[in-house]
Amino acid sequence: MEAHRRLSVLTYHLQPLSSPNSIISSSICHSNPHDINKDNSSCVFCKIIKGDSPAFKIYEDDTCLCILDVNPLSPGHSLIIPKGHFSCLEATPPSVIGAMCSKVPLISNAVMKATGCDSFNLLVNNGAAAGQVIYHTHIHIIPRNARDCLWASESLQRRPLKCSKEASNLVECIREKLSSLENYKADSSDQGSTSLIGNLREH
């Protein structure tokens, strides 16, 4: 069932559109993060970026491209795609992610006005368990209307975070990972998990 769902999502992106667009910058691509040394010609988004596949382009600059999703969850469902090929979010340079995110207010504002919406979801499917099927980083802009029922999870009752030892340990673990990954230096006196729990209890 899961394999069928993922194949369906991939098919949506592979679906050809009616008219080709002009050629834009080229990129080196691979369709799977483990296929770096294999033939990289199968990346759907890189084909669009090269101009080899058609797409409805909304926005383009030197770093990124925004296109309409070929099987949208709602009218105006758009994808912001970097022109360079990066298989996942953690493989994408911060400068590229910053350039992509800096265009979200501009593009989302235009999309919402064009579709008559006043809300949108900003979404990244990063990794197979999160639903990623095309291994080329991209950001979804999904316009929303009240009671459109797009996400079943929105009807679920959320559980408040408990001020527990488990939460404290999780915070400390995340901080340790940040430190090891990016030389992150936290102020232990102001940002320790104990002080966080104390502040929560005071409020």
Side-chain angles (χ1 to χ4, degrees):
M1 188 68 180
E2 177 65 16
H4 183 269
R5 182 189 69 82
R6 290 172 57 77
L7 180 60
S8 296
V9 175
L10 180 59
T11 302
Y12 296 159
H13 290 292
L14 286 168
Q15 178 181 340
L17 299 176
S18 57
S19 58
N21 290 297
S22 58
I23 294 177
I24 55 180
S25 66
S26 61
S27 65
I28 299 173
C29 70
H30 52 92
S31 60
N32 186 289
H34 305 294
D35 290 344
I36 296 175
N37 297 319
K38 297 181 180 180
D39 179 14
N40 299 324
S41 61
S42 61
C43 177
V44 178
F45 291 158
C46 282
K47 287 181 179 180
I48 291 172
I49 290 165
K50 293 174 184 177
D52 294 338
S53 293
F56 290 108
K57 299 177 188 175
I58 295 175
Y59 173 87
E60 180 184 355
D61 60 26
D62 292 339
T63 305
C64 62
L65 176 70
C66 183
I67 62 174
L68 288 180
D69 192 296
V70 297
N71 197 75
L73 288 172
S74 63
H77 181 170
S78 308
L79 306 173
I80 301 177
I81 305 165
K83 287 186 173 180
H85 182 89
F86 308 100
S87 61
C88 55
L89 199 62
E90 56 265 33
T92 309
S95 60
V96 175
I97 296 174
M100 295 168 66
C101 290
S102 71
K103 301 306 176 185
V104 169
L106 173 70
I107 297 172
S108 63
N109 194 305
V111 169
M112 286 193 296
K113 287 183 177 180
T115 58
C117 296
D118 63 1
S119 305
F120 70 95
N121 284 114
L122 190 66
L123 178 68
V124 176
N125 296 329
N126 193 68
Q132 183 179 8
V133 294
I134 297 180
Y135 289 91
H136 184 129
T137 297
H138 53 289
I139 299 174
H140 295 257
I141 295 176
I142 306 172
R144 299 295 304 273
N145 287 302
R147 295 179 295 278
D148 57 17
C149 301
L150 282 185
W151 313 125
S153 60
E154 290 177 341
S155 63
L156 298 177
Q157 184 176 359
R158 297 179 64 174
R159 299 176 181 176
L161 178 66
K162 295 181 180 180
C163 299
S164 64
K165 184 66 175 177
E166 183 179 356
S168 177
N169 289 340
L170 178 60
V171 169
E172 290 301 329
C173 182
I174 293 172
R175 287 181 174 170
E176 287 177 8
K177 299 304 180 183
L178 281 171
S179 180
S180 63
L181 290 171
E182 300 178 352
N183 237 2
Y184 180 81
K185 301 299 182 182
D187 185 345
S188 58
S189 61
D190 293 335
Q191 299 181 8
S193 61
T194 302
S195 63
L196 281 175
I197 293 175
N199 289 336
L200 284 170
R201 286 173 175 166
E202 288 175 6
H203 295 286

